Amino acid sequence: SVLLLITTSTILIAQDDEEKEKRPFKENLFTGGSVSLAFYNNTFLIGASPVFGYSLTNWADAGVVVNYNYTSYRDVTVFDDRVRQTQFGGGVFTKLYPVRFLFAQAQYEYNSIRQKYIPPGGGTPTKYPAANANSFLVGGGYTTGREGRGGTPFYYLAVLFDVSGDTNSPYTDAYGRAIPIIRAGLQIPLFQGPRRMD
């Protein structure tokens, strides 16, 4: 897959980079997370995604993410009906920084989804069986400035799209079309030693 190719290439480059600059393992660790928001075609989404990662090089990060999203769909089958959805999941991501204030991101997620249908006029809700979905999010964003590995905490804003085509994707509108997911977050380097740049 594309994510595997990106991750493999960044790891190989990271090995060359490490030969030039030795850093204790823990100085390359970071944490943080983001909040997600989307409004599109009778769809509202809000969520949170804590992360834990490792800076492979001064221009590449990888890590794991856990996420929770709540989505509300309106006018799904008839006027004024609702579908309320909760999503729990996790995945892995890679970020590449061609310059310190811009990045490209690829992220694989596996999510468990639960939905409840509410008919018009507040009738008796119907709960659907739990479903699972794979998502592959791609996109990019802006940062307040990533200073290589270590450095100082920074904020970021990203726009991502799910290109997996999974019919159960939580990142689609009521008609199954991919919606832009806006994520704003903070990345915090851990166990920082002296900042070193290539």
Side-chain angles (χ1 to χ4, degrees), residues 42-185:
N42 301 332
T43 301
F44 168 75
L45 178 147
I46 189 168
S49 303
V51 304
F52 183 76
Y54 184 83
S55 293
L56 300 169
T57 74
N58 281 333
W59 52 268
D61 292 336
V64 295
V65 58
V66 177
N67 57 62
Y68 169 82
N69 288 314
Y70 167 81
T71 309
S72 176
Y73 303 101
R74 182 168 54 87
D75 303 337
V76 180
T77 57
V78 295
F79 177 74
D80 203 34
D81 67 350
R82 302 278 194 281
V83 171
R84 293 179 179 169
Q85 173 178 288
T86 56
Q87 163 208 337
F88 300 90
V92 294
F93 68 88
T94 298
K95 288 183 179 180
L96 305 179
Y97 300 81
V99 292
R100 59 187 298 234
F101 58 88
L102 295 175
F103 66 91
Q105 180 172 344
Q107 179 167 314
Y108 168 77
E109 292 183 0
Y110 181 78
N111 295 293
S112 178
I113 302 164
R114 287 167 173 76
Q115 291 184 331
K116 180 168 63 175
Y117 177 78
I118 303 172
T124 303
T126 300
K127 290 186 178 180
Y128 295 115
N132 298 314
N134 294 288
S135 294
F136 187 60
L137 307 180
V138 296
Y142 169 83
T143 82
T144 54
R146 180 181 181 277
E147 300 176 357
R149 291 172 288 180
T152 59
F154 61 88
Y155 295 96
Y156 60 88
L157 182 66
V159 179
L160 304 171
F161 292 87
D162 186 358
V163 297
S164 68
D166 193 313
T167 55
N168 291 328
S169 171
Y171 303 112
T172 58
D173 65 13
Y175 308 103
R177 297 173 295 197
I179 60 176
I181 306 299
I182 300 172
R183 289 185 172 172

